[in-house]
Amino acid sequence: MTVKLISEFSHFWRKTSQVSLEMGKIFVEGVGEVQEYVDVCDYAVGLSRMIGGPILPSERPGHALIEQWNPVGLVGIITAFNFPVAVYGWNSAVAMICGNACLWKGAPTTSLISVAVTKIIAKVLEDNRVPGAVCSLVCGGADVGTAMARDERMDLLSFTGSTKVGKQVALMVQERFGRSLLELGGNNAIIVFEDADLNLVIPSALFAAVGTAGQRCTTARRLFLHESIHDEVVAKLSKAYAQVRIGDPWDSDTLYGPLHTKEAVKMFLDAVEQAKQQGGSVVYGGKVISRPGNYVEPTIVTGLPHNAPIVHTETFAPILYVLKFKEEEEVFAWNNEVKQGLSSSIFTKDLGRIFRWLGPKGSDCGIVNVNIPTSGAEIGGAFGGEKHTGGGRESGSDSWKLYMRRSTCTINYSKNLPLAQGIKFQ
């Protein structure tokens, strides 16, 4: 069935660039997103032969102690506009191999993509004598999402989106003692030390800040530079920004396309103005691009303090705040001082510093990188973050456990009835 799904996706996406049309990301990123769905299907099939609970030693003679994992039942999946294919793939592929059915609500602004993906999945399921309704779709706005969050038939609700909406979803699900999986916002930082390889830093910072026009939850929004290399990196990065090819997302040569909506453009302009008012200087970009569509210039802002309100605000747009630091201890603290805790990166050759970064006094994020950007996570690792990012994990590692319910089972195969803890009940 996985081979058939891969074939159907490949056939469909060769003919159309629906992701670029409806979401606005460049064509190669759209292809990469579909490939991610294909890859997670492959991953899930392998995982299906490995999931299970341990057999534990029992303290009582003639007893066996095991963990049994069963499907939760129905998984509700609410996804955001920025990854209208891949995030559903993470959830649905793992949910299905755990034995669940899925009900998906994609973003209302990418509903054609949701319909196209659902038709592909339904065909593959039905070709393999599985009801297409195992992966069902509903379209609509916040009212539909609210109904899903409040419906007790949703055994698990997975929500990917903003922290603001995620908090409302969590409260509604918790009110009925339901289970939720939250993957929310990120205010991600890259830290560059004086010993960093700048040949890695410049393309990494560029990709992390400008990729998907800054509309990834893992987008780099803060760039901390050691004071000894600050000016050099800003100059090199500004030069790299000037070489970014801006244009039609369907054009294979384009590296940077439009924002998703006009509201996003307004949010961008408001953030740039706030940055100026709070002491920042725009060294690159900062304006709307005069062409049809929601195009804005990728933007670099310097001179702000690390705790400026706008720096602590996640703006879903291509604005990078560049900040100076002196010491390792202070910059690690600055990385952690924002409310979100999704992704983080350092660039250094110092082995001791690398392990301090990974340790309890280092990054408090769910994704902690070294010498790579904040974005571009692989499917094999659990994806998600801490604090206001929600604490959820999608795909990878042992995240399959979130899509199942666990039972601790004790089996007495003897003719006696010894009690735990050696209790004697006469």
Side-chain angles (χ1 to χ4, degrees):
M1 190 162 72
T2 304
V3 173
K4 179 67 174 175
L5 186 60
I6 291 170
S7 174
E8 290 292 337
F9 265 116
S10 300
H11 177 71
F12 179 79
W13 292 100
R14 282 195 195 100
K15 290 185 175 180
T16 181
S17 47
Q18 190 72 47
V19 175
S20 298
L21 172 66
E22 208 169 12
M23 186 272 153
K25 66 174 58 176
I26 61 173
F27 182 76
V28 293
E29 284 192 296
V31 171
E33 186 175 345
V34 174
Q35 183 63 50
E36 194 166 351
Y37 197 153
V38 171
D39 290 347
V40 81
C41 287
D42 212 15
Y43 167 83
V45 169
L47 180 65
S48 70
R49 295 181 179 271
M50 294 184 286
I51 59 175
I55 300 174
L56 305 166
S58 174
E59 67 185 65
R60 290 171 282 185
H63 286 59
L65 189 62
I66 67 173
E67 279 188 2
Q68 175 69 38
W69 291 82
N70 291 300
V72 294
L74 177 60
V75 178
I77 304 167
I78 300 176
T79 60
F81 75 88
N82 60 332
F83 280 87
V85 178
V87 173
Y88 178 58
W90 296 350
N91 284 272
S92 62
V94 177
M96 280 196 289
I97 62 99
C98 290
N100 300 298
C102 301
L103 180 63
W104 178 28
K105 190 193 92 66
T109 53
T110 56
S111 55
L112 294 180
I113 296 170
S114 300
V115 170
V117 170
T118 301
K119 284 187 173 182
I120 292 171
I121 297 169
K123 183 179 187 303
V124 173
L125 291 174
E126 289 163 1
D127 286 349
N128 287 272
R129 297 182 297 282
V130 177
V134 163
C135 286
S136 294
L137 173 71
V138 290
C139 293
D143 56 332
V144 177
T146 297
M148 291 174 67
R150 289 180 172 162
D151 196 321
E152 292 191 356
R153 292 173 295 181
M154 295 289 164
D155 298 291
L156 170 68
L157 187 71
S158 175
F159 175 83
T160 303
S162 71
T163 296
K164 180 181 177 181
V165 177
K167 185 180 293 186
Q168 297 170 356
V169 169
L171 290 172
M172 286 185 281
V173 175
Q174 182 58 43
E175 189 175 36
R176 59 178 177 83
F177 289 101
R179 295 172 58 176
S180 60
L181 192 169
L182 303 174
E183 200 284 287
L184 310 176
N187 194 344
N188 314 297
I190 294 175
I191 302 170
V192 183
F193 287 91
E194 65 274 19
D195 65 338
D197 182 348
L198 297 189
N199 290 325
L200 294 177
V201 169
I202 302 305
S204 294
L206 180 69
F207 171 70
V210 172
T212 323
Q215 298 170 112
R216 292 181 177 223
C217 53
T218 53
T219 291
R221 311 203 180 276
R222 299 175 294 152
L223 177 61
F224 293 107
L225 301 174
H226 190 269
E227 60 182 6
S228 65
I229 58 170
H230 175 275
D231 293 350
E232 179 185 1
V233 172
V234 170
K236 288 179 179 291
L237 194 58
S238 297
K239 184 178 179 180
Y241 267 52
Q243 297 173 23
V244 172
R245 295 188 298 274
I246 302 171
D248 187 335
W250 282 0
D251 188 334
S252 60
D253 290 330
T254 297
L255 292 179
Y256 175 90
L259 293 179
H260 188 52
T261 62
K262 295 187 184 302
E263 290 75 17
V265 175
K266 182 180 184 303
M267 191 167 54
F268 165 84
L269 293 173
D270 289 347
V272 171
E273 187 58 34
Q274 288 181 53
K276 292 177 182 177
Q277 292 173 2
Q278 293 170 25
S281 299
V282 176
V283 298
Y284 190 91
K287 300 175 183 177
V288 172
I289 297 173
S290 179
R291 62 174 294 160
N294 303 315
Y295 287 86
V296 300
E297 295 174 334
T299 300
I300 301 172
V301 178
T302 62
L304 285 165
H306 67 92
N307 57 354
I310 192 61
V311 174
H312 280 222
T313 302
E314 182 195 24
T315 303
F316 228 56
I319 304 173
L320 182 65
Y321 304 111
V322 182
L323 310 144
K324 286 184 184 179
F325 74 92
K326 293 182 180 181
E327 304 293 337
E328 174 188 304
E329 186 175 352
E330 70 175 358
V331 77
F332 283 5
W334 293 353
N335 174 77
N336 297 344
E337 70 183 356
V338 297
K339 291 183 176 180
Q340 302 89 346
L342 180 53
S343 187
S344 55
S345 299
I346 64 166
F347 283 80
T348 184
K349 297 172 186 174
D350 186 323
L351 189 59
R353 179 181 290 138
I354 289 170
F355 280 93
R356 289 191 293 274
W357 172 243
L358 303 178
K361 294 185 178 180
S363 174
D364 65 359
C365 295
I367 299 171
V368 184
N369 293 334
V370 178
N371 294 330
I372 62 169
T374 53
S375 53
E378 297 181 29
I379 61 167
F383 183 90
E386 303 300 324
K387 302 187 298 189
H388 285 212
T389 302
R393 296 295 187 274
E394 294 173 318
S395 192
S397 187
D398 65 347
S399 63
W400 60 268
K401 293 179 179 179
L402 297 169
Y403 301 87
M404 304 192 82
R405 59 177 179 84
R406 169 167 40 189
S407 301
T408 301
C409 309
T410 307
I411 303 168
N412 181 2
Y413 57 88
S414 73
K415 295 183 178 180
N416 300 312
L417 193 61
L419 300 179
Q421 292 80 51
I423 293 173
K424 302 295 182 181
F425 190 73
Q426 302 293 341

